[in-house]
Amino acid sequence: MIVDRADEHRVTALLDGLAGLLTDTVAGGASIGFLASLDHAEAADWWRERAAAVAAGRLVVWVAREEERVTGTVSLALPDKPNSRHRAELVKLMVSREARGRGLGRRLLTIAEEAAAAAGLTLLHLDTETGSPAERLYRSAGWTRAGTIPDYAADPRGELRPTTLYFKQVGVPAAADAVAG
């Protein structure tokens, strides 16, 4: 399994695989902003827009591949306001249904967290469907639950579901280290 940071050209080159991953993730029931009617062409259009965001420096994307097949991705959405340059939003952590249960979600999450810290970011945040497998992953990786919003977004079937907000401080010394230093 290879995980690489993708520039806009790589996102475009992997467009078919990324679109397939997105449709697979939605078909598997993940609430990541799309309804079950999402087709491959719509997913490819969505990823084309992401390539433009990467080119503009507003998005960082990592792609996991087994051989040439796209099996996962995660992104960091970077802020555009001066008062929020220390943080980013973790978005669209996806793992294909066939690659689940092998630690890829955790690996992608760790890569994004470590890259954020290396870039000088100190705070990450995200939202995820309450009660989803993704929520268990974030909790087990040390993310802190900030609260829940009812009826936040429709799941792929169109049913309104709550979302839970999480945050994680990265790239900052633990409180004990700060005291000892």
Side-chain angles (χ1 to χ4, degrees):
M1 175 93 43
I2 297 169
V3 179
D4 292 315
R5 183 171 168 173
D7 65 12
E8 68 272 17
H9 304 293
R10 190 72 175 139
V11 171
T12 301
L14 294 171
L15 200 60
D16 188 57
L18 288 165
L21 173 65
L22 179 55
T23 57
D24 175 70
T25 303
V26 172
S31 181
I32 55 171
F34 300 91
L35 298 176
S37 60
L38 178 70
D39 67 24
H40 193 83
E42 291 171 302
D45 287 344
W46 185 83
W47 273 109
R48 273 188 203 89
E49 292 173 9
R50 304 295 73 75
V54 170
R58 295 186 317 267
L59 188 71
V60 181
V61 175
W62 290 269
V63 178
R65 293 176 293 114
E66 282 186 30
E67 298 173 13
E68 289 305 309
R69 192 169 25 84
V70 173
T71 55
T73 188
V74 67
S75 299
L76 290 176
L78 304 174
D80 60 355
K81 295 173 186 68
N83 73 341
S84 56
R85 303 258 187 239
H86 65 289
R87 65 184 159 123
E89 181 178 8
L90 187 107
V91 294
K92 302 301 185 260
L93 174 58
M94 294 182 258
V95 175
S96 68
R97 287 183 282 181
E98 68 185 37
R100 290 183 188 158
R102 299 186 299 193
L104 179 55
R106 167 101 41 198
R107 183 172 173 199
L108 288 164
L109 183 59
T110 299
I111 287 169
E113 291 172 358
E114 290 175 353
L121 299 173
T122 58
L123 181 66
L124 297 177
H125 63 97
L126 62 84
D127 71 88
T128 192
E129 182 179 341
T130 304
S132 69
E135 187 176 23
R136 289 188 298 278
L137 170 64
Y138 299 129
R139 279 196 316 260
S140 72
W143 286 68
T144 301
R145 181 182 176 278
T148 300
I149 303 171
D151 296 338
Y152 184 77
D155 67 12
R157 296 178 315 276
E159 181 182 325
L160 289 179
R161 302 280 301 140
T163 196
T164 301
L165 306 174
Y166 284 88
F167 69 91
K168 186 171 187 178
Q169 292 183 298
V170 297
V172 294
D177 294 340
V179 172

